[in-house]
Amino acid sequence: MAETVDPIEYEGPAGGWGSLKGIARTEIAQKAGPGALETLKEQNKPAGYMCSSCAWVKPAEPHPFEFCENGAKATLWDLTSARCRPEDVSAYTVSELADWPDHDLEMLGRLTEPMRYDAASDRYVRTSWDEAFAGIAAELQKLDPKSVTFYASGKAGLEASYLYALFARMYGHNNLPDSSNMCHETTSVGLKKVVGSPVGTCQLEDFDHCDAIFYLGQNPGTNSPRILHPLQQAVKRGCKIVVFNPLKEKGLVEFVNPQNPLQMTVGKPTQMSHLYLQVRPGGDIAALMGVCKRVLERDEAAKAAGEQRILDCAFIEQHTHGFDAFLAKLGATSWDELEQASGLTRAEMIEAGDVYASANTVIGIYGMGLTQHVHGSQSIGLLVNLLLLGGNIGRKGAGCSPIRGHSNVQGQRTVGITEKTKLAPVEKYRELFGLETPEEDGHTTVEFLQAVIEGTNKGYIGLGGNLARAVPDHGRVHPAWRQMELTVHIATKLNRTHCMPGKSSWILPCLVRAEEDIQKTGSQWVSIEDSFSHIYGSKGKRKPASGHLMSETAIICELAKATLPANPRWTWDAWRADYGVIRDLIARTFPDEFHDMSARMNQPGGFYRGNPAHERIWKTESGKAEFTDPTVLNACGVTDNPGGMHLVTLRSNDQFNTTIYGYSDRLRGLEGSRMIVMMAPSEMERLGLVEDQQIALATQYADGVNRRVEGLAVKPYDLPERTVVGYFPELNALVPLEYHDELSKTPASKGIPVGLEY
Ligand SMILES: Nc1nc2c(c(=O)[nH]1)N[C@H]1C(S)=C(S)[C@@H](COP(=O)(O)OP(=O)(O)OC[C@H]3O[C@@H](n4cnc5c(=O)[nH]c(N)nc54)[C@H](O)[C@@H]3O)O[C@H]1N2
Ligand SMILES: Nc1nc2c(c(=O)[nH]1)N[C@H]1C(S)=C(S)[C@@H](COP(=O)(O)OP(=O)(O)OC[C@H]3O[C@@H](n4cnc5c(=O)[nH]c(N)nc54)[C@H](O)[C@@H]3O)O[C@H]1N2
Ligand SMILES: [Mo]
């Protein structure tokens, strides 16, 4: 059972032959069903299906192969020829399966039929769809709706997502967290607070016109490889990329374009970054303050010399609020303090400031390195401060561009999957369905887990995901998780969360995006939204992995129909039969953004639903773009722990979140094991550690809980001091549930105070 992928030798840059050979040579490609490699040609193409990996834009004029190594892996993983039948699962008790590695569970293959947990034998057993829907509905009817949570992991299309949110509210709760609550919720709340928009302000064209890119806390080579093409084009035009990242990530150092045959033959990589600044975890607030300080110095000098100003004074005057307070804070903060908190030298911050000062147009890009911190929203605020100085939001070649995670996570929020009542289309629900939406806000992911621990959350439905594995504090969460009355999983593959059933539990197997979805009116389209707020149609053409599978949309319709009272306006059968009818509902609910949705989603490049901040309309409290006056210089919540070590948990090149494809972190040159901890050679020397020595990490958080992970092999890596790095989800037990972004409650998975034990 425990097969591992052949390690792929790799020494070259990100992309290039390594990535193409990498795909064909993987066990994943070899296990894929007939024609699966052919199917890849349809990936991210108009009239094709949209990749289920990352949320990067699908261009109007796609490349012949508009997919990357990891997008291909995601699709091939979905299209495996392996099948996980009820008898394969019933062969083991759930207690046995709970100890299997994440990789081995998913390697069983695609789920083929619904299964019900049989507590007496501690096994999942085959069941029928009718039994499952009736059984789940009976359980839901017994529970107080407020004690039930509907999670969504960010993959299901807009049609399924719209109905899922509607079902929750018809049933009677707003407990609708999604993976965003562990991911870019810091953006949804923090970016919204300062520019009035919860999503990125850039468009793809902006990358053709920017002079500099400030790139913080995101690893494109692994997590959004297709972004490397526009970055490479920008660099070739002379655009300067300034990276802030504790790790030297290969894709940001150099890149060979696998789409470019000439470059592949000659093999000369593009040097991607002009400056690579290895901040310490959470050091971005101070680092960006240092950059701003330099920009102001340069502006003063320009002013004194009668030269063109560096600041866009007219923009600051007309469009922003809070500039003077920020200026005062900068004046009162010394370079020494900034060096201390950022881990960078004054000279490095000055050099970055000079790049900014020489650029007419600047884009800011960021990912989890900013959002997953206790003061993550302040880091985003500081990046926006820097952009505002030069008027770099809302004009060509400029803007703020968070890189989203799951392929439709942004879209799920757009169409109503939100725990915040004020963001739900309450009036439209009333008008279209006669529905009175429950008034109080629902759970974020952290609040859901707190309620599970307290025993007040009794039911859980997961539309995708592997939530119990993806969340913090496993030691506290897992025992409580199994006490829930009801757990239901709409899923494609077996995972660790499924192996922690509540008292009643079902697994409902669904189609993947590349598979054909046939309903009463014929073959159906679904739709998704990318990081740039473009909406695309997606159509799968593959024969489903099993004749018993249902689509996510159909499962939600049947569950809702079985659970809710009959209502002539709640026409679940009609919605299930024709997803165009659901899109009409979406268009009627959000007419400004989604009018004529079915027609427009299939135009090349999809349709853009707009963004007020892109037009310099600021939907903030002051009606202007807000300068942030930071309350701290480092984004970590605890900075005075004994020894001062901070742990970053992140992804390898061989996983999609909790889906572990294999054990090769190719771009980092690490192979064979995920139970590792990286640290600087100088730190190893200081602590007297040698390569591959086994150590334990223990969280230093003063709440009396013992959080410890042992059996970690030390690996030397180019990192700042006081920084250790390891993999998610193996190290999630170390993240305290209460250690989260102050505004959005996004778990702070990047700056965990830890001690080393050996
Ligand atoms: N192949 C693949 N693609 C994926 C995913 C996957 O697992 N596999 N996951 C998807 C999802 S859901 C998401 S959210 C995205 C995640 O994509 P990323 O945002 O790239 O997430 P991480 O892998 O967690 O890497 C975070 C980066 O931030 C850096 N970092 C850590 N702490 C700090 C800090 O304090 N400051 C700065 N400046 N940098 C820091 C790390 O070194 C790392 O390079 O990718 C999506 N795409
Ligand atoms: N320590 C630490 N923790 C983290 C993070 C971190 O960086 N560090 N990152 C966080 C982030 S950014 C995120 S987004 C979360 C991710 O958390 P989740 O979204 O909950 O996790 P995934 O691993 O993406 O879920 C994988 C499972 O989804 C199911 N699945 C796959 N495809 C489909 C599909 O098409 N439909 C359906 N219905 N099911 C499907 C399969 O059963 C698979 O086992 O984890 C978070 N947790
Ligand atoms: Mo994510």
Side-chain angles (χ1 to χ4, degrees):
M1 126 214 131
E3 297 134 315
T4 52
V5 173
D6 270 359
I8 300 154
E9 289 157 38
Y10 193 78
E11 274 154 25
W17 289 118
S19 83
L20 287 188
K21 274 197 243 161
I23 298 168
R25 285 177 53 187
T26 53
E27 189 190 12
I28 301 170
Q30 284 151 22
K31 279 227 151 114
L37 282 164
E38 282 294 298
T39 301
L40 288 173
K41 288 190 194 150
E42 309 243 322
Q43 188 147 314
N44 299 331
K45 299 280 179 60
Y49 67 95
M50 296 301 141
C51 177
S52 65
S53 193
C54 82
W56 182 248
V57 61
K58 317 329 180 212
E61 290 161 17
H63 292 276
F65 301 98
E66 187 59 48
F67 58 84
C68 66
E69 173 190 4
N70 285 338
K73 264 191 204 170
T75 299
L76 297 174
W77 190 254
D78 279 353
L79 301 183
T80 175
S81 54
R83 294 291 175 267
C84 175
R85 299 176 187 85
E87 53 271 30
D88 302 321
V89 182
S90 307
Y92 305 91
T93 65
V94 164
S95 313
E96 286 166 337
L97 289 171
D99 288 335
W100 283 31
D102 302 280
H103 171 78
D104 298 358
L105 286 174
E106 290 213 21
M107 283 300 277
L108 285 174
R110 288 285 302 283
L111 295 161
T112 58
E113 287 176 63
M115 291 182 281
R116 177 178 57 79
Y117 177 60
D118 175 53
S121 63
D122 188 34
R123 284 168 208 268
Y124 275 107
V125 294
R126 174 181 271 111
T127 192
S128 67
W129 283 107
D130 286 347
E131 184 284 327
F133 292 134
I136 297 165
E139 292 297 324
L140 285 173
Q141 284 158 357
K142 274 192 255 166
L143 293 171
D144 171 2
K146 304 271 182 321
S147 73
V148 179
T149 294
F150 286 14
Y151 169 75
S153 113
K155 275 193 177 159
L158 295 171
E159 296 77 4
S161 303
Y162 178 86
L163 292 185
Y164 194 57
L166 187 61
F167 173 29
R169 297 188 169 109
M170 288 173 168
Y171 172 56
H173 67 72
N174 286 307
N175 295 329
L176 283 162
D178 80 358
S179 64
S180 181
N181 290 88
M182 298 176 281
C183 181
H184 267 292
E185 192 60 14
T186 320
T187 298
S188 309
V189 178
L191 189 62
K192 169 96 175 67
K193 185 175 170 209
V194 293
V195 303
S197 167
V199 298
T201 72
C202 284
Q203 292 292 289
L204 189 55
E205 307 81 84
D206 291 322
F207 287 76
D208 296 334
H209 302 281
C210 56
D211 299 330
I213 297 176
F214 279 66
Y215 206 110
L216 296 92
Q218 204 265 344
N219 177 16
T222 284
N223 295 328
S224 51
R226 287 184 307 114
I227 196 181
L228 293 173
H229 303 139
L231 289 184
Q232 189 194 33
Q233 291 307 316
V235 169
K236 287 193 168 159
R237 271 194 304 106
C239 170
K240 289 182 173 161
I241 301 185
V242 180
V243 178
F244 296 78
N245 196 316
L247 262 91
K248 277 272 176 71
E249 299 286 24
K250 195 132 212 164
L252 289 166
V253 177
E254 52 179 9
F255 174 63
V256 170
N257 186 346
Q259 309 285 353
N260 180 338
L262 189 65
Q263 202 190 34
M264 297 242 322
T265 331
V266 181
K268 189 168 175 300
T270 307
Q271 296 305 315
M272 295 296 270
S273 50
H274 174 76
L275 263 183
Y276 204 113
L277 304 178
Q278 289 181 273
V279 281
R280 65 155 43 117
D284 307 272
I285 297 178
L288 290 163
M289 281 179 79
V291 178
C292 290
K293 217 172 160 64
R294 176 60 176 178
V295 171
L296 288 161
E297 282 175 8
R298 288 283 306 266
D299 183 65
E300 285 296 323
K303 193 169 143 190
E307 291 167 5
Q308 198 194 337
R309 298 282 298 267
I310 309 288
L311 297 191
D312 185 340
C313 299
F315 173 84
I316 294 174
E317 172 66 28
Q318 191 192 339
H319 285 286
T320 71
H321 172 253
F323 179 57
D324 292 341
F326 176 55
L327 216 57
K329 178 62 61 67
L330 276 184
T333 314
S334 68
W335 282 107
D336 281 354
E337 289 171 276
L338 297 178
E339 287 189 330
Q340 179 67 28
S342 67
L344 300 180
T345 63
R346 176 177 178 170
E348 287 174 315
M349 293 182 264
I350 285 181
E351 214 181 334
D354 287 341
V355 171
Y356 188 92
S358 316
N360 280 321
T361 45
V362 180
I363 290 177
I365 293 184
Y366 66 90
M368 297 299 101
L370 253 54
T371 64
Q372 294 178 335
H373 275 296
V374 169
H375 305 290
S377 36
Q378 296 200 41
S379 306
I380 296 173
L382 258 294
L383 176 58
V384 168
N385 282 6
L386 177 65
L387 294 172
L388 294 179
L389 291 180
N392 277 308
I393 295 189
R395 68 186 167 94
K396 194 157 101 178
C400 185
S401 194
I403 305 294
R404 301 296 302 233
H406 274 296
S407 54
N408 192 36
V409 63
Q410 185 168 312
Q412 294 198 327
R413 288 300 207 209
T414 305
V415 298
I417 295 190
T418 167
E419 71 285 356
K420 299 177 180 70
T421 326
K422 67 169 194 266
L423 300 179
V426 172
E427 286 297 323
K428 293 288 179 181
Y429 285 148
R430 190 174 292 130
E431 182 187 317
L432 294 169
F433 311 107
L435 174 68
E436 291 305 321
T437 312
E439 273 168 24
E440 65 270 44
D441 279 350
H443 297 137
T444 60
T445 300
V446 163
E447 289 158 352
F448 157 65
L449 296 167
Q450 285 164 338
V452 170
I453 290 169
E454 284 160 16
T456 52
N457 190 95
K458 297 179 190 303
Y460 168 83
I461 299 186
L463 178 57
N466 183 5
L467 188 58
R469 192 78 180 131
V471 298
D473 239 347
H474 289 172
R476 285 168 69 209
V477 169
H478 289 179
W481 187 280
R482 289 218 57 179
Q483 298 309 310
M484 281 194 277
E485 297 295 327
L486 172 70
T487 55
V488 177
H489 307 282
I490 302 168
T492 53
K493 298 220 177 158
L494 194 66
N495 66 41
R496 296 276 285 265
T497 305
H498 306 156
C499 301
M500 285 180 227
K503 292 177 192 159
S504 305
S505 186
W506 283 264
I507 299 175
L508 309 178
C510 66
L511 299 175
V512 297
R513 209 176 277 156
E515 287 172 339
E516 186 164 29
D517 179 355
I518 299 178
Q519 303 297 337
K520 274 200 181 127
T521 61
S523 185
Q524 303 296 315
W525 288 84
V526 298
S527 54
I528 58 140
E529 175 179 335
D530 70 16
S531 279
F532 286 158
S533 307
H534 282 245
I535 286 99
Y536 312 85
S538 171
K539 190 166 204 207
K541 297 191 180 129
R542 299 265 311 174
K543 186 168 174 263
S546 141
H548 298 282
L549 300 184
M550 283 177 70
S551 73
E552 289 163 319
T553 309
I555 293 172
I556 293 162
C557 288
E558 294 304 323
L559 266 182
K561 204 169 68 174
T563 308
L564 301 173
N567 180 319
R569 294 165 81 181
W570 302 1
T571 55
W572 299 101
D573 289 332
W575 298 337
R576 175 178 172 181
D578 180 357
Y579 298 179
V581 179
I582 310 171
R583 282 189 289 275
D584 289 344
L585 290 175
I586 298 176
R588 287 167 70 191
T589 309
F590 310 98
D592 293 345
E593 297 167 319
F594 283 95
H595 64 89
D596 305 312
M597 179 179 177
S598 287
R600 292 195 300 151
M601 70 184 191
N602 285 328
Q603 64 202 29
F607 69 88
Y608 177 45
R609 73 174 171 86
N611 178 336
H614 185 255
E615 315 306 323
R616 296 194 165 174
I617 298 166
W618 316 103
K619 300 205 161 179
T620 58
E621 254 174 45
S622 65
K624 296 196 169 186
E626 294 282 346
F627 274 96
T628 297
D629 179 8
T631 59
V632 289
L633 293 182
N634 186 290
C636 295
V638 173
T639 48
D640 58 355
N641 55 313
M645 280 283 186
H646 284 87
L647 167 70
V648 168
T649 59
L650 43 60
R651 294 151 173 82
S652 81
N653 189 53
D654 215 4
Q655 73 183 90
F656 190 92
N657 298 337
T658 68
T659 293
I660 309 303
Y661 301 129
Y663 297 87
S664 159
D665 200 355
R666 181 166 62 81
L667 299 179
R668 298 195 183 108
L670 296 164
E671 302 289 341
S673 169
R674 296 179 50 85
M675 291 300 281
I676 62 159
V677 50
M678 300 170 229
M679 68 182 82
S682 60
E683 285 289 80
M684 288 171 58
E685 202 179 305
R686 181 176 68 85
L687 300 168
L689 290 166
V690 295
E691 181 164 358
D692 287 329
Q693 187 169 337
Q694 300 279 309
I695 65 164
L697 292 179
T699 310
Q700 297 174 328
Y701 191 66
D703 64 353
V705 179
N706 180 17
R707 299 179 182 89
R708 201 165 176 280
V709 172
E710 45 194 56
L712 297 164
V714 173
K715 297 285 177 191
Y717 207 82
D718 184 356
L719 282 170
E721 291 188 346
R722 313 279 173 184
T723 305
V724 283
V725 175
Y727 295 126
F728 140 63
E730 284 78 1
L731 298 181
N732 279 35
L734 295 171
V735 189
L737 188 53
E738 286 71 26
Y739 195 67
H740 54 65
D741 174 54
E742 56 200 336
L743 287 190
S744 64
K745 300 201 171 177
T746 305
S749 309
K750 297 290 189 265
I752 308 145
V754 292
L756 275 48
E757 295 176 1
Y758 48 96

